[in-house]
Amino acid sequence: MIEPVVNSLRFRLESWAAWAPDLTTPQAWLDWAAAGVRSADGPEPAVAKMPAMLRRRAQRLGRMALEVLYAEDADAQSPIVFASRYGEIGQSTQLLHELAASGTVSPQAFSMSVHNAIAGLYTIARKESANVMALAAGTQTAFAGLFEAAMQLADGAPRVRLVICDEPLPAEYQCYGEPSTPTFAYLLTLVPGDEFDISWSAPAQSDADPMALLRFMLTAQNRLPLSTSGWCLARRPA
């Protein structure tokens, strides 16, 4: 196997925000990171900072992602990396049912089902001109999002906002999902620094899921194998 040319990517975590129906405060997420306890679903986030005319276009996943984006008043020029394995799969499934039943779908509903719609809605509401990268990479989605954000920092971006979010598959698709997907959205704001290091190592037995990545960021773990392709995330000595 030929090792990648890039030896390592370094960055610092400037801030973070997370939201799930059962974990709605920073302290609740820190407690989860320490104990790993989740409870039943609750209500959708309010996204109170977004104008109502735009907010009502978003479904639950979108509202969660918007809630964490609005959690900090970041530089409007900071790039956004939006990573979600399934995106608005619930809305897409509903549209497929409507298409099968009537042969037509709502153009507005379709526009909100595409993979970059949530981040796009945020930039419209904030009147931002920031670059947005939307991606999905199967079980390597968390790794791909983090790697893309770190690469943008290496390419000169002073700050990158990484949003990772997903929710359980609709009943029609649950037999194809591996592993099962919880309901969550979180934001990691990355800046240049030496706090963390992504480097090539021995291939992991499995890809790191998004919740493993967030737990690593919120605790004192030293090392997280990221992918079966051989990349690893490490916390550097202070």
Side-chain angles (χ1 to χ4, degrees), residues 69-93:
L69 276 165
Y70 272 104
E72 65 171 39
D73 189 19
D75 176 7
Q77 301 305 315
S78 299
I80 297 172
V81 176
F82 177 85
S84 178
R85 182 175 183 182
Y86 301 119
E88 289 282 8
I89 185 66
Q91 186 162 356
S92 297
T93 302

Side-chain angles (χ1 to χ4, degrees), residues 112-196:
M112 287 305 302
S113 71
V114 298
H115 212 64
N116 64 346
I118 297 170
L121 190 66
Y122 174 78
T123 60
I124 291 171
R126 290 285 302 265
K127 296 181 173 60
E128 291 192 5
S129 58
N131 177 66
V132 173
M133 167 70 75
L135 56 87
T139 58
Q140 292 193 351
T141 295
F143 160 63
L146 182 66
F147 197 87
E148 173 63 30
M151 285 293 288
Q152 290 197 27
L153 289 176
D155 198 40
R159 177 181 289 101
V160 179
R161 291 170 284 178
L162 170 60
V163 178
I164 303 180
C165 61
D166 260 309
E167 59 183 345
L169 287 167
E172 297 92 329
Y173 296 110
Q174 285 184 5
C175 62
Y176 303 108
E178 46 20 272
S180 60
T181 303
T183 302
F184 71 92
Y186 62 83
L187 167 72
L188 304 176
T189 302
L190 310 183
V191 295
D194 290 326
E195 184 179 5
F196 297 99

Side-chain angles (χ1 to χ4, degrees), residues 42-110:
E44 296 180 354
V47 199
K49 296 181 180 180
M50 174 171 266
M53 288 290 290
L54 294 174
R55 183 176 62 239
R56 66 169 57 104
R57 296 176 61 183
Q59 302 298 312
R60 184 174 73 162
L61 181 70
R63 285 173 177 257
M64 292 190 302
L66 292 166
E67 184 75 10
V68 299
L69 276 165
Y70 272 104
E72 65 171 39
D73 189 19
D75 176 7
Q77 301 305 315
S78 299
I80 297 172
V81 176
F82 177 85
S84 178
R85 182 175 183 182
Y86 301 119
E88 289 282 8
I89 185 66
Q91 186 162 356
S92 297
T93 302
Q94 181 180 345
L95 289 173
L96 289 172
H97 283 299
E98 293 177 5
L99 183 64
S102 66
T104 61
V105 297
S106 161
Q108 179 170 306
F110 174 77

Side-chain angles (χ1 to χ4, degrees), residues 10-59:
R10 296 180 182 179
F11 63 89
R12 179 172 64 86
L13 178 64
E14 182 180 64
S15 62
W16 65 275
W19 201 96
D22 57 324
L23 299 169
T24 60
T25 66
Q27 187 58 53
W29 280 100
L30 291 172
D31 292 342
W32 162 83
V37 177
R38 297 287 302 263
S39 60
D41 275 359
E44 296 180 354
V47 199
K49 296 181 180 180
M50 174 171 266
M53 288 290 290
L54 294 174
R55 183 176 62 239
R56 66 169 57 104
R57 296 176 61 183
Q59 302 298 312

